[in-house]
Amino acid sequence: MERRPIWYLVGLIAVILAFAVSTTLRGFYITLGSFLTLSILSFLYKDNIFYKAAEHLFVGVSAGYWMVMGFWSVLIPNLIGKLHPPLVRPFVPAIADQPPSYWYFIPAVLGLMLLWRLSPKWPWISRWALAFIVGTTAGLNFIRYMASDLLGQINSTMVPLVVIEGGALDTLTSMSNIVIFLGVFCGLIYFFFSKEHKGAFGVGSRIGIWILMVTFGAGFGYTVMARISLLVGRFQFLLGDWLGILS
């Protein structure tokens, strides 16, 4: 009972030290982040050693982070957990009691074959695994793009030109569908090179060029907006978290 005030004092000191350490570490991390941000922005002046150091650090940390994430989120549950489930019980207990699936020896062998790329004598072994990966990825993406892009675009383009809503003409929707139809039709005319672009066909081709330019400009503007939003976020970090100018 008599030692309680001492323990209270020790606990209070521990809390103050923990708060000071956390505050100091937070300040250190913010200052380090600000230095790296300014190092990246220094490329606007010219290529320099600060930019290269920050760039190499970013690439190295990103590679290490994704390697660790790939090991724990892909290899552990999807390969080791399939070949020998009890081995991953401390990490993924949900699959620890499932029966092993020895079909996963095939991707394991292909993964090991990829490492032969580092061998100075037999680097060609990795080409077999790489060819399988490229072919499989191309085939899967082809089906996905056909379903999501090509068929999706065709489905979005085949719209009624005259829309009747509630027994009355929906003028705005009809105009929108007509613009979509004419835009796609004129864009396809521009890519039709078996006929000379003259007369009415040439007019449609030129309209297709303008529509393509507007589309590319909108896509470029969207990309610029995304980059500007990243720049605004960095300035908010510098002026708010680091300098404290912004609240």
Side-chain angles (χ1 to χ4, degrees):
M1 296 295 292
E2 296 176 354
R3 293 183 179 180
R4 280 186 176 179
I6 297 176
W7 289 111
Y8 290 158
L9 180 61
V10 171
L12 179 62
I13 293 175
V15 171
I16 294 174
L17 288 177
F19 178 76
V21 169
S22 63
T23 304
T24 305
L25 288 177
R26 184 176 182 275
F28 172 74
Y29 291 144
I30 291 176
T31 304
L32 179 61
S34 303
F35 173 74
L36 294 176
T37 301
L38 293 175
S39 298
I40 292 294
L41 293 177
S42 66
F43 185 75
L44 296 174
Y45 172 63
K46 68 176 183 179
D47 195 4
N48 57 78
I49 188 173
F50 296 103
Y51 170 76
K52 289 181 178 178
E55 182 187 29
H56 285 72
L57 180 63
F58 176 77
V59 173
V61 171
S62 299
Y65 173 79
W66 287 113
M67 186 179 71
V68 173
M69 288 294 294
F71 178 78
W72 290 104
S73 62
V74 178
L75 288 182
I76 291 293
N78 297 330
L79 181 61
I80 300 176
K82 298 295 183 182
L83 295 177
H84 196 273
L87 197 62
V88 300
R89 185 181 298 278
F91 316 109
V92 193
I95 64 174
D97 297 327
Q98 296 181 359
S101 180
Y102 296 109
W103 287 102
Y104 284 82
F105 272 114
I106 297 176
V109 172
L110 291 174
L112 292 176
M113 289 174 64
L114 282 176
L115 297 179
W116 282 92
R117 187 68 181 174
L118 303 175
S119 172
K121 291 185 178 180
W122 302 291
W124 55 269
I125 295 178
S126 64
R127 296 175 188 168
W128 291 92
L130 192 62
F132 179 81
I133 294 172
V134 171
T136 305
T137 305
L140 293 175
N141 284 337
F142 177 76
I143 297 174
R144 184 168 60 87
Y145 278 114
M146 282 288 290
S148 62
D149 287 2
L150 181 60
L151 297 180
Q153 291 291 334
I154 293 175
N155 184 52
S156 300
T157 306
M158 297 178 70
V159 291
L161 299 182
V162 179
V163 179
I164 305 297
E165 190 71 27
L169 177 64
D170 190 342
T171 307
L172 293 178
T173 305
S174 299
M175 291 294 295
S176 175
N177 292 349
I178 291 173
V179 170
I180 291 174
F181 170 76
L182 291 178
V184 174
F185 185 70
C186 293
L188 291 176
I189 287 177
Y190 171 71
F191 290 103
F192 192 81
F193 302 111
S194 299
K195 179 179 174 56
E196 190 174 1
H197 293 183
K198 286 185 176 180
F201 195 80
V203 174
S205 175
R206 284 190 291 274
I207 294 176
I209 293 175
W210 279 101
I211 291 174
L212 289 174
M213 296 301 290
V214 170
T215 305
F216 293 151
F220 180 73
Y222 180 78
T223 304
V224 171
M225 287 177 59
R227 299 298 184 268
I228 291 296
S229 66
L230 291 176
L231 182 63
V232 170
R234 285 293 85 194
F235 273 105
Q236 286 180 340
F237 172 75
L238 292 175
L239 299 179
D241 296 348
W242 186 38
L243 299 178
I245 298 176
L246 298 177
S247 58

